[in-house]
Amino acid sequence: MAYYNREQEITNILKTHERNANRLLQKAQSSRLLEAFNTIWVSIENRELPVPISSNVMTFNADDIKSEIDEWIKDLKECQENAQRKFKSIEDPSPEDQSKCNNISSEVILLTSRYEGLKNTIDQVEQDFNNAVRTHRAPMREALTDISILYNSVNHVKGDFSDYKNVSVYVHGIEDSGDGFNESVRNAAKDGDIILRINRDDDEESREYYIVTLIKGEKVIKKVEGLNKLKDTEQYKEKMGRLHIIYETGKVNEHRQETSDDLAEKLNEMGLINEKTKIDMFGHSYGGRRSMQFAMDYPDHVRSITTIGTPYDTNILGSQANKHRWLADKAAGRDTTNTSDYLDFNEDNRNNDDGKDYSNAYTDMDSEAMSEDIHHLKSANPEVYQKLQKMDITAAAGYRTEDTVSFSPYYTASGKHRISSDDIVSVESQHGDILGDLIDEKPEFEVEGSGITDSGHIHETNDSDFVDLIRDVNKKEAE
């Protein structure tokens, strides 16, 4: 379809639109965007737009460009309305008059359709750019955090908690919050300790500070309103106790790498990534994967890792939720597309939601056992692997018992029998059997609960035996 086949009114409008398109594309300097425009322009004019692209950016303002195209559509519709009004005003219209009105209407319908298609293509290009940018954002963020850590170390920059030598960080699991650890940490903390809870919408006002003290021989936990008042307390000034950090991820289902990057950034701001401070990690469920990732990324700062109920292997329920998201979301009340900006380089570790690629805890548990990362690390960076070997790593498993009846041709036995699972994660996976000699201790604790909705898995962080383990680890590592 070329200019000479069109009514002059449409031709004039298209000339204006072409000038505007050239201006937009020169400003954007995106070959992908030019490709999208040319696909439409070839269908309209049988030729491409003569726009030189001297660079190739990966971002542009899609809303501004689509707004411009909306104006083009408005121009076409006004032309159509004017043609119809003019035709109706003619007392005795000729066949040529009728033909011109019809031609303009049909061309407007066709061109409007082309422009709407262009807007949809622009949305897709923008989403592709966003996916590409997110793929590269994570390593850039990690690199910037490493530079910040190095800067603080070289320049002896101190944070508010730099003088703490013994620090415990507690990381929750998938579809969870810090509430479970909040209770167990209170039970495990000792006189002189400080408890800091970093909530999901993290800012200084939302952080919660508590001091642990003895009053008449009984442990009392007091809330302190804000960091400035905490600094006036005896516990902060003497720094003889342990700092407990209950860390809540920015997104409930964020990928372990995103958690590691965010946690490193926050701990560095607090002054806890230094040569003297030793961090003891505690993780429940997927929080164990998150803790292990942090230890792999920052092995010089982690002294021990203690997990319970962690799916170190791929997880059946996680895999099913990842593959059948609509069912998991509606039937089980999950939020399987909840994620952060982290996007795994490995496309097998991604999922897609309306054009947006993402990687989160569900995609991770579906696609990759922790042993794969460990094997890669062992080959690429054996020094870090050796540091992991030297860490005290405890992988606790929860199990439960239930009333069962056993039948045989000779006898019937009933009573309580041990179920070698916490209903969610197998004991083998919780023990990290696939990680080989990295795991030093593999205790097992009987936990409450039954079934999927009230599984033993849910109750693991508050189990008295696990609280004792937290207490024992903290004491042992401090000594």
Side-chain angles (χ1 to χ4, degrees):
M1 193 185 298
Y3 284 160
Y4 58 80
N5 288 328
R6 292 196 175 100
E7 301 299 335
Q8 190 62 42
E9 292 87 341
I10 297 294
T11 298
N12 292 338
I13 289 174
L14 282 176
K15 286 182 179 179
T16 301
H17 291 175
E18 180 172 339
R19 288 195 298 269
N20 291 337
N22 289 336
R23 172 181 52 80
L24 289 172
L25 291 167
Q26 285 178 344
K27 180 180 179 181
Q29 286 296 304
S30 167
S31 59
R32 280 292 308 280
L33 191 61
L34 175 60
E35 180 184 345
F37 269 81
N38 277 335
T39 299
I40 299 301
W41 228 257
V42 167
S43 70
I44 294 174
E45 290 291 308
N46 291 324
R47 62 180 175 82
E48 295 183 346
L49 292 166
V51 182
I53 299 296
S54 58
S55 61
N56 189 20
V57 301
M58 288 183 64
T59 183
F60 59 89
N61 193 321
D63 289 337
D64 285 353
I65 294 176
K66 289 190 294 182
S67 178
E68 176 83 23
I69 296 173
D70 283 335
E71 291 297 319
W72 298 354
I73 293 174
K74 184 178 178 182
D75 293 340
L76 291 169
K77 290 184 176 179
E78 286 179 353
C79 178
Q80 181 182 22
E81 291 171 358
N82 289 336
Q84 290 173 345
R85 279 196 298 269
K86 185 176 181 180
F87 177 75
K88 291 179 180 178
S89 68
I90 300 174
E91 291 185 6
D92 187 18
S94 66
E96 289 78 11
D97 293 329
Q98 178 73 63
S99 176
K100 180 172 184 175
C101 184
N102 291 341
N103 287 342
I104 289 176
S105 292
S106 62
E107 287 185 279
V108 167
I109 292 171
L110 177 62
L111 291 170
T112 297
S113 174
R114 295 279 195 271
Y115 285 167
E116 290 292 350
L118 177 57
K119 287 167 59 180
N120 292 334
T121 304
I122 289 171
D123 284 335
Q124 184 59 56
V125 172
E126 181 186 37
Q127 189 62 68
D128 290 345
F129 281 0
N130 288 337
N131 289 334
V133 168
R134 287 166 55 238
T135 303
H136 293 85
R137 183 178 297 155
M140 287 186 64
R141 181 183 179 188
E142 186 175 0
L144 289 172
T145 299
D146 290 343
I147 291 172
S148 179
I149 291 172
L150 179 61
Y151 177 86
N152 288 359
S153 175
V154 171
N155 294 279
H156 306 290
V157 176
K158 298 184 70 173
D160 294 318
F161 297 92
S162 294
D163 295 326
Y164 269 90
K165 295 181 180 179
N166 298 305
V167 177
S168 295
V169 177
Y170 305 85
V171 186
H172 63 80
I174 190 171
E175 298 274 358
D176 204 354
S177 69
D179 289 342
F181 271 125
N182 190 50
E183 182 178 339
S184 53
V185 170
R186 287 167 173 264
N187 290 329
K190 292 186 174 182
D191 178 33
D193 290 356
I194 289 177
I195 301 173
L196 162 59
R197 179 164 180 175
I198 300 177
N199 294 299
R200 181 147 291 131
D201 298 324
D202 180 49
D203 54 49
E204 184 52 44
E205 293 183 357
S206 69
R207 292 188 177 185
E208 301 175 26
Y209 300 94
Y210 301 88
I211 57 173
V212 185
T213 186
L214 289 179
I215 297 179
K216 296 181 179 180
E218 187 172 328
K219 183 171 72 175
V220 176
I221 298 177
K222 293 182 178 180
K223 186 173 183 178
V224 180
E225 296 297 335
L227 180 59
N228 289 333
K229 290 189 176 180
L230 177 70
K231 290 181 177 179
D232 291 332
T233 65
E234 181 180 343
Q235 287 81 355
Y236 181 88
K237 291 178 180 178
E238 294 187 358
K239 297 180 176 63
M240 298 298 293
R242 176 176 287 268
L243 174 63
H244 303 266
I245 300 176
I246 303 170
Y247 171 79
E248 195 165 337
T249 59
K251 299 285 187 178
V252 292
N253 298 336
E254 69 183 26
H255 191 279
R256 53 187 156 96
Q257 186 63 63
E258 175 72 13
T259 299
S260 177
D261 295 342
D262 182 64
L263 183 57
E265 186 177 332
K266 285 181 170 55
L267 293 178
N268 187 50
E269 289 172 356
M270 296 165 66
L272 293 172
I273 305 294
N274 58 63
E275 294 180 358
K276 294 182 179 179
T277 299
K278 298 302 177 185
I279 299 172
D280 300 305
M281 303 290 299
F282 294 87
H284 173 238
S285 190
Y286 189 78
R289 280 187 174 229
R290 289 166 168 158
S291 299
M292 183 67 78
Q293 185 66 55
F294 181 81
M296 291 166 61
D297 294 339
Y298 302 95
D300 293 326
H301 305 285
V302 176
R303 180 168 53 190
S304 71
I305 305 172
T306 304
T307 66
I308 187 169
T310 290
Y312 284 106
D313 207 338
T314 52
N315 182 266
I316 294 176
L317 285 176
S319 298
Q320 292 301 313
N322 187 49
K323 289 183 172 69
H324 308 289
R325 289 169 288 154
W326 66 271
L327 181 61
D329 292 349
K330 290 188 176 181
R334 302 289 88 183
D335 191 2
T336 56
T337 59
N338 174 274
T339 185
S340 56
D341 281 340
Y342 176 78
L343 188 60
D344 201 306
F345 271 95
N346 185 350
E347 294 186 1
D348 292 338
N349 299 345
R350 302 181 190 176
N351 213 325
N352 188 279
D353 181 43
D354 291 334
K356 178 184 177 182
D357 289 337
Y358 68 90
S359 300
N360 65 4
Y362 285 113
T363 61
D364 185 40
M365 289 194 296
D366 180 20
S367 64
E368 200 167 69
M370 283 297 293
S371 56
E372 293 186 35
D373 277 7
I374 297 296
H375 290 322
H376 294 158
L377 179 69
K378 191 174 182 179
S379 301
N381 200 332
E383 291 184 3
V384 172
Y385 180 78
Q386 290 172 5
K387 291 175 181 178
L388 290 178
Q389 284 184 306
K390 293 178 181 179
M391 289 180 198
D392 291 333
I393 303 181
T394 300
Y399 72 90
R400 62 185 182 84
T401 58
E402 66 177 20
D403 289 316
T404 57
V405 178
S406 299
F407 298 97
S408 80
Y410 307 104
Y411 66 91
T412 299
S414 62
K416 288 193 174 293
H417 294 266
R418 174 169 168 160
I419 306 299
S420 60
S421 168
D422 68 354
D423 300 298
I424 300 293
V425 187
S426 70
V427 167
E428 291 79 11
S429 185
Q430 294 181 73
H431 278 165
D433 287 350
I434 60 172
L435 301 184
D437 62 356
L438 287 184
I439 307 299
D440 302 301
E441 302 288 342
K442 300 180 179 181
E444 296 183 16
F445 306 128
E446 182 177 1
V447 294
E448 299 178 356
S450 179
I452 300 299
T453 57
D454 185 41
S455 66
H457 194 77
I458 297 172
H459 301 281
E460 285 170 338
T461 53
N462 301 133
D463 183 79
S464 60
D465 289 325
F466 183 64
V467 173
D468 288 339
L469 177 61
I470 294 175
R471 192 180 293 115
D472 292 343
V473 169
N474 284 336
K475 181 181 178 181
K476 172 188 172 185
E477 298 301 333
E479 292 173 349

